[in-house]
């Protein structure tokens, strides 16, 4: 009996310790972290992001994706930006896919000119992602700051941890759960695909020899399937890109979810939120809710971005403030 009580006490103590550690990490991030050390950081980053989007509207999705792919591997520590053959940017999910590194370089240079060796690359990614969404017509949120930059990349982690466009909804749910995100986060953050493009390689399996009885995925609108088959012929190298949201390519809105209701989701992982058996059981209701209420989607998306930005950040004296986002100091 005493042994059982002692074991229960240890379990409770362990749970409380984890909870306190999580709260401690979050308490070290603050929306006014640079209020004194770099008060103009938001203005500087916004200006650079705006310039980048004027040159290429698609860059909004690229900056948003960089933050996502950073946080899912080693936490939000800027490790996705590190060069080197063993870097995360050369992992299978990122190769010839993640982009925008030159824009991040420009932002970093501008921020360094404003306040040198003060603002981390990880924080720049978080601010730039928010600004990319806002400048595309999406919601705003206050970005908690104070992250420091990691010293190592994790290519193996990138290959293992990042959700893929061909993953089942249950697999995606599990990958989100592994970093502390829930079903609402899965659906809301998937809504980031309201902007951006995907290469044929990411969805061509839905178009050709999908099953013994169907050439194309039956959950894909037949007209859209025919158009995509012309865009992505079987002998093509797969590098041609198609819009993730054909209704409003560069506008951050809730049309992505309306597309899913009409079987016009580009990626299998997108359409699966509404059409797959797993999606019907867990995510379909949220897809329908967001398709009807853009305000609800915007609110949940902003909250989920804040949650994602809190994934295992380095704070205090951990890590460093990189001078160049591509290499450790």
């Amino acid at each position: 009996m005493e042994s059982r009580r002692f074991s229960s006490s240890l379990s409770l103590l362990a749970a409380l310790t984890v909870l306190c550690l999580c709260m401690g990490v979050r308490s070290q991030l603050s929306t006014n972290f640079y209020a004194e050390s770099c008060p103009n950081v938001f203005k500087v980053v916004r200006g650079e992001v705006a310039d980048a989007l004027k040159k290429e509207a698609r860059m909004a999705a690229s900056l948003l994706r960089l933050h996502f792919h950073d946080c899912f591997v080693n936490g939000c520590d800027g490790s996705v930006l590190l060069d080197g053959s063993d870097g995360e940017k050369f992992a299978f999910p990122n190769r010839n896919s993640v982009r925008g590194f030159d824009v991040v370089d420009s932002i970093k240079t501008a921020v360094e000119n404003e306040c040198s060796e003060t603002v981390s690359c990880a924080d720049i990614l978080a601010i730039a992602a928010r600004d990319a969404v806002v400048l595309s017509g999406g919601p705003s949120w206050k970005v908690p700051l104070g992250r420091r930059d990691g010293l190592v990349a994790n290519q193996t982690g990138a290959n293992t941890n990042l959700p893929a466009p061909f993953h089942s909804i249950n697999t995606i749910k599990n990958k989100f759960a592994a970093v502390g995100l829930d079903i609402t986060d899965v659906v809301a953050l998937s809504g980031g695909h309201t902007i951006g493009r995907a290469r044929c390689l990411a969805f061509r399996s839905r178009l050709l020899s999908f099953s013994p009885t169907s050439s194309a995925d039956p959950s894909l609108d037949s007209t859209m399937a025919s158009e995509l088959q012309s865009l992505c012929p079987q002998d093509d190298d797969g590098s041609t890109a198609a819009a993730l949201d054909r209704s409003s390519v560069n506008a951050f809105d809730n049309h992505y979810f309306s597309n899913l209701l009409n079987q016009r989701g580009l990626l299998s992982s997108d359409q699966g939120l509404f059409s797959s058996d797993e999606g019907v059981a867990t995510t379909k209701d949220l897809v329908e809710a967001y398709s009807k209420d853009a305000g609800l989607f915007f609110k949940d998306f902003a909250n989920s971005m804040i949650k994602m930005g809190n994934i295992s950040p380095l704070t205090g004296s951990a890590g460093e403030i990189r001078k160049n986002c591509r290499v450790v100091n």
Side-chain angles (χ1 to χ4, degrees), residues 163-183:
F166 50 81
H167 279 156
S168 69
I169 298 305
N170 279 348
T171 298
I172 292 172
K173 281 164 47 185
N174 290 337
K175 288 180 181 286
F176 271 65
V179 292
L181 301 178
D182 60 24
I183 291 292

Side-chain angles (χ1 to χ4, degrees), residues 136-329:
S136 300
S140 184
W141 60 92
K142 292 184 177 181
V143 181
L145 300 167
R147 302 168 190 81
R148 290 170 65 84
D149 295 320
L151 302 176
V152 294
N154 184 357
Q155 188 174 114
T156 300
N159 282 320
T160 303
N161 300 347
L162 289 168
F166 50 81
H167 279 156
S168 69
I169 298 305
N170 279 348
T171 298
I172 292 172
K173 281 164 47 185
N174 290 337
K175 288 180 181 286
F176 271 65
V179 292
L181 301 178
D182 60 24
I183 291 292
T184 299
D185 302 317
V186 169
V187 183
L189 292 175
S190 294
H193 285 171
T194 183
I195 54 176
R197 297 175 178 272
R199 296 187 306 153
C200 292
L201 278 176
F203 57 85
R204 190 158 56 186
S205 62
R206 303 184 70 200
L207 308 177
L208 305 164
S209 303
F210 181 79
S211 72
T213 59
S214 176
S215 173
D217 183 346
S219 71
L220 179 62
D221 173 76
S222 59
T223 301
M224 182 173 168
S226 297
E227 293 170 353
L228 292 174
Q229 286 168 344
S230 298
L231 181 71
C232 307
Q234 193 166 9
D235 58 353
D236 185 68
D237 65 1
S239 63
T240 304
L244 287 162
D245 177 0
R246 292 152 63 96
S247 301
S248 52
V249 178
N250 298 316
F252 197 100
D253 52 33
N254 67 334
H255 290 170
Y256 163 86
F257 297 102
S258 300
N259 291 339
L260 301 188
L261 268 61
N262 294 305
Q263 295 185 305
R264 296 178 70 82
L266 182 65
L267 305 179
S268 175
S269 56
D270 288 333
Q271 191 60 49
L273 293 171
F274 182 78
S275 300
S276 70
D277 291 342
E278 298 162 353
V280 169
T282 58
T283 55
K284 180 180 178 180
D285 288 349
L286 264 178
V287 170
E288 292 178 330
Y290 291 156
S291 72
K292 299 172 184 175
D293 190 341
L296 175 64
F297 165 50
F298 279 19
K299 177 179 72 69
D300 284 355
F301 181 84
N303 289 336
S304 292
M305 286 295 293
I306 293 170
K307 282 180 67 177
M308 186 183 76
N310 273 325
I311 297 174
S312 304
L314 298 174
T315 58
S317 60
E320 65 180 12
I321 304 298
R322 278 185 226 141
K323 300 175 185 177
N324 178 341
C325 290
R326 294 176 180 263
V327 294
V328 297
N329 294 341

